[in-house]
Structures are given as C-alpha cells and as structure tokens.
Amino acid sequence: WIKALYLKIYSRSKGIVACSEEVKKRLINFGVSPQKVHVLYPAVDYNRYKPCQVPSNFLAKYRLQNKRIILTVGRIIQRKGHEQVIRALPEILKQFPETVYCIAGVGPYREELEHRIRSLGTGVAVRFLGKVSAEDLPLLYNACDVFVMPSCEKSEGGHIEGCGIVFLEANACAKPVIGGRSGGVIEAIRDGETGFLVSPDSPRELAEKILF
C-alpha cells in the first residue's frame, strides 16, 4: 500500500527532481514515468566552502592541534560507513599514530560505533564532535587531511546515498575525498581525480587509499 501511495503521488506531480542519475533510474524502476524525472545535482556555495586558513583557537576547541585528521560529516547511521573507517584505523595508526578520526553529526548508530571502538582499543583516535555549527563546518573541512564516507546500500528498505553533497563541500575546500562505490556517490566523486571510490565493505582497501 505504501508503494501504491507513492506512485499515486508521483502520478499527480507535474515533475520530479532527482539528485542523481542513480536516483532517477530507481524512480523509473519503481514505476515513475521517465518523462517526469529530471536530474539536478546538488550545488555548493563557493562563497562559504572554500580553502582558508584554520585559526589555532578552532583547532584547540576540538583538540586537533598537530593531528592528521580524517573527517566524516553526516548523520550517524549504519549505511554511512563510519564503522569501516573505525575498522581501518589500526592499520592507519601504525604509520601515522597522530591520526584522529573526527565524526561530525548525531544519530542512532553511535552506540554501536562506540562498542566497535572499545573492542579495537582505538578510543583515543576517534572524536565524536556532535552537531557542528554552520560557522564551524567550513573550518572543519579545511582542517581535515582527507574526507571519508564509505557509504553502502542497505538492501532492507533500499536505503542508498542519493548523491553526497558532503563530498562536493569537501572538494570545494580543496580536500580529497573517499566514498563507497554505491548509489549516487559514484556520480559525486571522479575516481582518481577528485578522490577515490572504494568497496564499502573493505576496511583494508579504505586504509590503503587513506594512506595513499
């Protein structure tokens, strides 16, 4: 009945805007008329997201002085791939012990991540920053060395990353990005040019790309 309801809504619409070709394809497979679906990629405000010098007091605020920073920005849910980054940390810390993994955002999967962190003994290398203000977010992008979000598709419910504007925001701040090879992320990252695409289920491949 939910599908029937959605199809009724779609059928009565004059047009549907999808954030990626992947989302457009899924809408058509769902039963939406192809003529109604138009792709419009998310845009980035380059006046806000741009390379800049990060003030020392900002780094002190988040205890990031003299750290190599891996950053993820997004809701803390399973499909975002935070756990894969945490599982990759032990290999990364062998070469760069001053690395910290900063997780900006809130969500229901944090408790599971904390359990994983305790089991790996990497607690000192992970920082949960909570909800970051709009003023701090561009500085956080600029402070990081690499932006990582190895999103995956969750078959239950068909949850995917439609595009991933966070990758574009990080790129706008001149930062390399690493994303999971799934959903619309494939369209947000030019593999080997603006960043790397990796298997969402391979912490080893993720570690290799972060250390690249």
Side-chain angles (χ1 to χ4, degrees), residues 168-189:
L168 308 182
E169 291 171 348
N171 278 158
C173 295
K175 298 300 175 176
V177 298
I178 301 174
R181 194 179 288 105
S182 70
V185 176
I186 296 171
E187 298 169 60
I189 299 175

Side-chain angles (χ1 to χ4, degrees), residues 54 137 179:
V54 181
L137 188 55

Side-chain angles (χ1 to χ4, degrees), residues 16-52:
I16 299 165
V17 177
C19 63
S20 66
E21 292 290 344
E22 176 65 22
V23 172
K24 176 180 178 178
K25 181 181 73 175
R26 288 172 182 252
L27 283 168
I28 293 170
N29 290 340
F30 189 70
V32 178
S33 171
Q35 288 72 34
K36 283 194 171 187
V37 189
H38 309 276
V39 175
L40 181 63
Y41 289 112
V44 175
D45 183 353
Y46 289 104
N47 291 317
R48 180 182 176 198
Y49 296 102
K50 58 186 178 181
C52 70

Side-chain angles (χ1 to χ4, degrees), residues 15-164:
I16 299 165
V17 177
C19 63
S20 66
E21 292 290 344
E22 176 65 22
V23 172
K24 176 180 178 178
K25 181 181 73 175
R26 288 172 182 252
L27 283 168
I28 293 170
N29 290 340
F30 189 70
V32 178
S33 171
Q35 288 72 34
K36 283 194 171 187
V37 189
H38 309 276
V39 175
L40 181 63
Y41 289 112
V44 175
D45 183 353
Y46 289 104
N47 291 317
R48 180 182 176 198
Y49 296 102
K50 58 186 178 181
C52 70
Q53 188 70 33
V54 181
S56 57
N57 62 338
F58 175 85
L59 296 174
K61 174 182 177 179
Y62 289 105
R63 298 179 293 119
L64 297 175
Q65 308 98 313
N66 304 313
K67 299 294 185 181
R68 293 179 183 267
I69 302 167
I70 301 168
L71 174 65
T72 299
V73 176
R75 184 164 164 75
I76 304 178
I77 53 178
Q78 189 175 8
R79 71 172 170 82
K80 295 288 185 180
H82 302 86
E83 183 174 351
Q84 304 306 324
V85 185
I86 291 168
R87 291 173 63 189
L89 274 179
E91 188 65 28
I92 296 166
L93 292 169
K94 288 178 185 178
Q95 293 192 41
F96 299 102
E98 70 278 21
T99 298
V100 293
Y101 175 37
C102 293
I103 300 174
V106 297
Y109 202 61
R110 175 169 172 169
E111 187 175 338
E112 291 290 333
L113 296 183
E114 290 174 335
H115 175 75
R116 172 64 68 179
I117 292 164
R118 287 192 296 269
S119 68
L120 292 172
T122 55
V124 294
V126 181
R127 307 275 173 81
F128 287 96
L129 306 184
K131 187 175 182 179
V132 175
S133 69
E135 294 75 21
D136 280 359
L137 188 55
L139 292 176
L140 193 57
Y141 281 124
N142 276 279
C144 80
D145 293 278
V146 59
F147 180 87
V148 181
M149 194 173 75
S151 303
C152 63
E153 179 177 350
K154 306 307 293 183
S155 56
E156 184 179 344
H159 296 292
I160 63 164
E161 196 71 41
C163 183

